[in-house]
Amino acid sequence: MPPNERPLDWIEEELSSLDLQGLLRRRLTHQGPAGALLDVGGKTYVNFGSNDYLGLAADPRVLAAARICLEEQGWGSAASPLLAGRGAAHEELEAALAAFEGTEAAIVFPTGFAANLATVSAVVSRGDAVYADELNHASLIDGCRLSRADVHVYPHCDWRRLEEIMASTRHARRRLIVTDALFSMDGDFAPLVELAGLAERHRAMLMVDEAHATGVFGASGRGVAEYLGVAQRVDIRVGTLSKALGGMGGFVCGRRSLIDWLVNRARAYIFSTAPLPSACAAAHAALRIVRNEPDRRQRVLALAVDLRAKLVAQGWDVGRSESQIIPLLIGEPQQAVALAKQLFAQGLYVPAIRPPSVPAGQSRLRISLSAAHDTDMLERLVAALGQFAHAPAIE
Ligand code: PMP
């Protein structure tokens, strides 16, 4: 190191290089709730960058549940759930989640990221094999790495290739197939029927992350596995409280023995303070709304069908989207950022998604829809995008 260079100087160089490539991330700050509208610097934007798919993040019933719990049980959880951290709000939410999901038991983690990370690394270890879709969420990828199992990444949704890989790795002690149910950057489904069949034929465990699908897909809102009729064939189902349920936290549901195992082996559960009691009470209230108001999920999915058709008619490439997540595939990061800026100038917030969140050359804008959007908001987006539709190479 040259004498007047300090040990962290390399970071500034790396950041400048990211900036030059159009890959530097900057955070937006907004006032008020992140609902269908976003207040940034006193100006209001229509928000297409939120995972609050059912519009529950600021629902008065959810807020009231949090407030009551806050008064009764206090703010902090004070300890790990294995020490003094687990209160009545946690227990009630876990029971409600198990009933909602139709499983023997459920366990709540501080975040969905922690749920995935801890669960993968608790169910497989050295000498085991894990089979992972190449587009899995970062938390699943990191869980695989942490587990020390042999990780076999298969091409996106390619269950035929997966079958070949499984056939050639029969020696592993335990085997786990792990996938997102609804891929967060593309809005497409994993082939869960085929994956369930493969898991059964190869005596492997099947773990599915329903983060973006809980509350949105399936007759009762359990997710894509329910929608495709295989919920009972998925051994380990993960969901989040942070997207359609409008709050914060993650959960795993399945057999009682699985949940007992996680209580004993999931390090991000054992060595982390239990979620806020009021967050659990809020999620419980949101779950009731999901159960009692199926029109919310029907509405967001109907908006998605309508918007996708209009965008395709304008000539946009929406990839494989079949959900409330609709990408506009652009290519280079600078072009995606330029388009996002143009929309922002017109009062529309649509985030640009760039590597490493997506592979190089696949930068995009990602539109996330919510039941709280109205048709006027979508018309504004369609009208704005119409100006750029045939000229995606924006400078
Ligand atoms: N799984 C997927 C597919 C996700 O997209 C995310 C969050 N973006 C998570 C898990 C993590 O959930 P949380 O935000 O609750 O940590």
Side-chain angles (χ1 to χ4, degrees):
M1 197 190 325
N4 36 9
E5 212 172 283
R6 290 165 305 162
L8 292 185
D9 282 354
W10 64 271
I11 293 183
E12 277 142 44
E13 284 160 30
E14 291 286 341
L15 288 173
S16 317
S17 153
L18 286 179
D19 202 8
L20 280 175
Q21 299 168 68
L23 296 177
L24 190 68
R25 317 290 185 98
R26 292 186 176 85
R27 295 173 296 171
L28 186 80
T29 303
H30 60 84
Q31 281 74 42
L37 294 173
L38 208 55
D39 176 348
V40 182
K43 201 173 160 214
T44 303
Y45 296 82
V46 185
N47 183 11
F48 293 104
S50 149
N51 301 322
D52 179 22
Y53 300 126
L54 302 181
L56 297 181
D59 187 283
R61 295 163 289 180
V62 174
L63 302 191
R67 215 174 282 122
I68 293 167
C69 181
L70 193 58
E71 293 301 333
E72 288 175 354
Q73 297 184 36
W75 170 239
S77 288
S80 154
L82 264 55
L83 300 172
R86 187 175 187 248
H90 301 89
E91 188 178 58
E92 282 160 20
L93 176 61
E94 289 178 351
L97 284 166
F100 174 77
E101 294 284 353
T103 56
E104 285 175 15
I107 179 171
V108 173
F109 286 78
T111 65
F113 198 107
N116 276 336
L117 187 77
T119 301
V120 176
S121 52
V123 298
V124 282
S125 57
R126 221 186 280 282
D128 299 335
V130 46
Y131 306 92
D133 189 291
E134 65 178 340
L135 295 188
N136 275 354
H137 188 257
S139 52
L140 292 175
I141 295 173
D142 290 358
C144 290
R145 290 178 179 152
L146 197 60
S147 74
R148 298 196 181 92
D150 292 328
V151 182
H152 304 277
V153 176
Y154 58 89
H156 184 51
C157 290
D158 190 347
W159 56 271
R160 290 188 182 85
R161 178 72 194 117
L162 170 59
E163 176 135 49
E164 288 168 9
I165 300 172
M166 292 186 82
S168 65
T169 50
R170 288 186 203 280
H171 56 276
R173 183 182 59 151
R174 289 188 211 125
R175 308 206 287 167
L176 171 73
I177 301 173
V178 62
T179 183
D180 285 23
L182 170 52
F183 289 87
S184 54
M185 299 299 158
D186 293 87
D188 59 334
F189 299 153
L192 294 184
V193 176
E194 290 79 4
L195 295 184
L198 268 183
E200 285 155 6
R201 280 200 297 286
H202 289 267
R203 300 164 60 83
M205 302 174 278
L206 176 59
M207 172 170 171
V208 173
D209 173 11
E210 297 272 13
H212 293 272
T214 302
V216 180
F217 281 94
S220 44
R222 290 174 186 165
V224 176
E226 181 186 32
Y227 180 68
L228 297 177
V230 291
Q232 299 314 321
R233 294 165 67 193
V234 175
D235 305 294
I236 307 173
R237 262 188 283 148
V238 182
T240 50
L241 309 175
S242 56
K243 304 187 193 302
L245 293 173
M248 190 173 182
F251 66 91
V252 179
C253 55
R255 283 166 59 173
R256 160 68 52 200
S257 54
L258 166 71
I259 305 309
D260 289 346
W261 180 248
L262 294 179
V263 169
N264 285 275
R265 283 291 181 275
R267 290 165 64 83
Y269 182 80
I270 300 169
F271 297 103
S272 194
T273 300
L276 298 177
S278 51
C280 293
H284 196 165
L287 204 57
R288 271 187 222 107
I289 299 174
V290 168
R291 202 186 309 119
N292 298 335
E293 299 179 11
D295 47 306
R296 287 176 181 265
R297 52 184 170 274
Q298 288 152 9
R299 175 177 163 75
V300 68
L301 293 178
L303 290 177
V305 169
D306 187 46
L307 179 64
R308 230 180 356 251
K310 288 181 173 146
L311 296 176
V312 169
Q314 286 182 337
W316 292 101
D317 181 356
V318 300
R320 302 174 291 262
S321 168
E322 45 195 330
S323 68
Q324 77 283 10
I325 299 171
I326 307 178
L328 296 180
L329 300 171
I330 306 287
E332 292 312 311
Q334 291 90 344
Q335 293 173 343
V337 171
L339 180 55
K341 275 191 185 152
Q342 304 251 25
L343 295 174
F344 198 67
Q346 298 185 38
L348 302 161
Y349 176 61
V350 187
I353 311 285
R354 296 161 279 165
S357 302
V358 290
Q362 294 186 28
S363 289
R364 63 197 64 188
L365 261 58
R366 182 177 62 165
I367 302 167
S368 298
L369 293 178
S370 164
H373 285 130
D374 62 31
T375 39
D376 276 2
M377 294 170 177
L378 298 197
E379 285 311 321
R380 277 183 61 192
L381 178 64
V382 170
L385 284 170
Q387 304 166 308
F388 307 111
H390 300 291
I394 289 155
E395 298 308 329

